[in-house]
Amino acid sequence: MRRLNRKKTLNLMKELDAFPKVPESYVETSASGGTVSLIAFTTIAFLTIMEFMVYRDTWMKYEYEVDKDFTSKLRINIDITVAMRCQYVGADVLDLAETMVASADGLIYEPVIFELTPQQKELQRMLQLIQSRLQEEHSLQDVIFKSAFKSASTALPPREDNSLQSPDACRIHGHLYVNKVAGNFHITVGKAIPHPRGHAHLAALVSHESYNFSHRIDHLSFGELIPGIINPLDGTEKIASDHNQMFQYFITVVPTKLHTYKISAETHQFSVTERERVINHAAGSHGVSGIFMKYDISSLMVTVTEEHMPFWQFLVRLCGIIGGIFSTTGILHGVGRFVAEIIFCRFRLGSYRSTSVPLPDGHTSNHLPLITENSTH
């Protein structure tokens, strides 16, 4: 009884078989079919390798939301070299709340030589080349995000020439913590002093002939310092054409959360526009000589997340490639074989020529003779 039930179950399963097997004696192979199969297998292998490379790759997903954090402090990372002696210049921040953050709170004034060594010039040219490519191809920013903490910092290496030349410039580097509101970071003549209506700089004791706000921005960023991230102003160099010259940078800061497979950090991206002009009160160009970076905080926050293709999606795409190629090549082979048979059939019919058959009355017939059963024997 059990054997009978088992046999019925097997017969039922055979009836449900969606992949019936064809006996090999009924299968006919051909050279054209072998050629198409070879092409199909080669295409499948190539596309499988390409699909595996896509599976290994990752991409960056951008999401936008309103930034609800207005109470925390904003960190400004600074590394700027000005072509003036350190005792002649001062740097500080004044925000819209009229809160002044002095440079003594986190910045270091280091006397240096403004002229770069050949090695430093080469690194600066490389950084400027990367900046120009980033402006043309925005997709490179994703590559920079993925390589964060793997690449070196954009700061120039220290001098190795042991030059005896006396320092003629001042490197201002370090970081400041400011309120998360719009503000103005500036470097101008004289040290800053508090003032009831803001602040002032002691510039009266400095001769105008010593003004030279040629500068080089080795690094400027907002938020957490992440090595390997290249910011828009990194590598910028400006040479002043006049003693009384103002350089202005208008910066829009966007809070950014970065989540990759290597790091998870809260930083800030920013965009910048530049302007420079000579101060000439007689010509109506008013202002103060110096370097001014006016920044504003965006109300939107960007979340950048590195994503990867799931394994199940890779399998589905792979099955689609294999099945699609087999189906497509089978259809193309069938259509090609059908067209070839039609062409060869017409060629064979055209190869028969008409023959002359003598008639009893002396005439001839050019029609093809009828094929009868007697004629076939």
Side-chain angles (χ1 to χ4, degrees):
M1 189 67 180
R2 292 182 178 177
R3 290 183 179 180
L4 182 61
N5 292 335
R6 187 179 299 174
K7 189 174 182 180
K8 288 182 178 179
T9 304
L10 291 176
N11 291 334
L12 179 61
M13 296 302 294
K14 288 181 179 180
E15 292 178 359
L16 296 176
D17 187 9
F19 307 98
K21 307 300 184 296
V22 180
E24 294 184 0
S25 58
Y26 296 145
V27 177
E28 181 182 357
T29 59
S30 62
S32 61
T35 303
V36 172
S37 300
L38 183 61
I39 295 175
F41 290 141
T42 304
T43 306
I44 289 174
F46 174 74
L47 292 181
T48 300
I49 295 173
M50 297 298 295
E51 189 66 25
F52 181 72
M53 294 176 64
V54 173
Y55 168 72
R56 290 187 57 191
D57 195 15
T58 59
W59 61 88
M60 308 306 293
K61 179 181 178 182
Y62 293 82
E63 297 177 328
Y64 304 89
E65 59 181 315
V66 177
D67 184 16
K68 301 178 182 179
D69 182 15
F70 296 103
T71 58
S72 62
K73 294 288 186 177
L74 175 64
R75 171 171 169 160
I76 306 179
N77 307 296
I78 302 163
D79 190 350
I80 302 176
T81 302
V82 185
M84 292 181 65
R85 297 184 183 274
C86 291
Q87 61 265 29
Y88 295 157
V89 295
D92 59 277
V93 178
L94 185 66
D95 59 24
L96 287 182
E98 296 185 354
T99 302
M100 188 186 80
V101 180
S103 60
D105 295 338
L107 296 183
I108 300 173
Y109 292 77
E110 180 184 350
V112 294
I113 300 174
F114 189 77
E115 183 70 19
L116 297 176
T117 63
Q119 180 186 7
Q120 291 176 329
K121 289 182 179 179
E122 184 65 26
L123 291 176
Q124 187 187 32
R125 280 195 296 267
M126 185 183 302
L127 185 57
Q128 292 174 349
L129 178 61
I130 295 175
Q131 290 284 19
S132 63
R133 293 294 301 274
L134 282 173
Q135 294 176 2
E136 299 173 359
E137 303 179 20
H138 299 284
S139 59
L140 291 178
Q141 186 64 48
D142 293 350
V143 179
I144 293 176
F145 280 147
K146 294 178 186 179
S147 62
F149 279 124
K150 293 175 61 178
S151 302
S153 174
T154 56
L156 295 176
R159 302 181 69 94
E160 298 179 355
D161 56 354
N162 296 324
S163 177
L164 299 178
Q165 179 182 349
S166 61
D168 59 351
C170 184
R171 180 190 175 200
I172 304 173
H173 60 97
H175 62 272
L176 296 172
Y177 287 95
V178 299
N179 297 322
K180 209 170 181 180
V181 295
N184 181 3
F185 169 76
H186 51 271
I187 302 173
T188 187
V189 179
K191 303 298 181 182
I193 57 173
H195 191 273
R197 296 184 178 180
H199 75 297
H201 287 261
L202 296 175
L205 302 178
V206 182
S207 172
H208 281 76
E209 298 299 325
S210 61
Y211 286 17
N212 183 5
F213 283 100
S214 300
H215 62 280
R216 182 175 59 253
I217 303 175
D218 296 327
H219 181 79
L220 179 71
S221 65
F222 297 83
E224 183 179 348
L225 183 60
I226 303 177
I229 298 296
I230 299 178
N231 297 278
L233 287 176
D234 293 353
T236 301
E237 186 177 46
K238 299 290 184 180
I239 304 300
S241 59
D242 192 271
H243 292 292
N244 296 324
Q245 191 160 350
M246 173 189 287
F247 296 91
Q248 293 176 301
Y249 299 91
F250 301 93
I251 300 172
T252 302
V253 183
V254 181
T256 304
K257 290 183 178 180
L258 181 61
H259 302 288
T260 68
Y261 289 106
K262 298 180 179 63
I263 64 168
S264 180
E266 294 188 6
T267 182
H268 292 72
Q269 301 180 87
F270 67 90
S271 60
V272 59
T273 55
E274 306 174 11
R275 185 190 178 194
E276 58 182 82
R277 59 188 175 92
V278 176
I279 303 300
N280 188 345
H281 298 286
S285 179
H286 303 291
V288 179
S289 302
I291 305 167
F292 297 85
M293 298 182 177
K294 299 180 180 181
Y295 60 89
D296 193 6
I297 312 297
S298 174
S299 59
L300 291 178
M301 181 175 63
V302 181
T303 302
V304 185
T305 308
E306 185 178 7
E307 293 192 343
H308 185 273
M309 181 189 297
F311 183 70
W312 64 267
Q313 187 175 352
F314 168 71
L315 291 180
V316 171
R317 291 166 63 99
L318 193 62
C319 292
I321 289 174
I322 296 174
I325 291 177
F326 268 120
S327 300
T328 304
T329 53
I331 293 173
L332 294 177
H333 179 250
V335 172
R337 189 170 183 179
F338 176 72
V339 172
E341 288 179 355
I342 293 177
I343 295 174
F344 285 127
C345 183
R346 290 184 176 180
F347 177 75
R348 289 174 183 175
L349 289 176
S351 63
Y352 289 103
R353 295 183 178 179
S354 61
T355 56
S356 299
V357 180
L359 299 177
D361 57 358
H363 295 84
T364 58
S365 176
N366 294 327
H367 296 285
L368 293 174
L370 294 175
I371 300 175
T372 62
E373 294 181 0
N374 296 331
S375 62
T376 58
H377 295 289

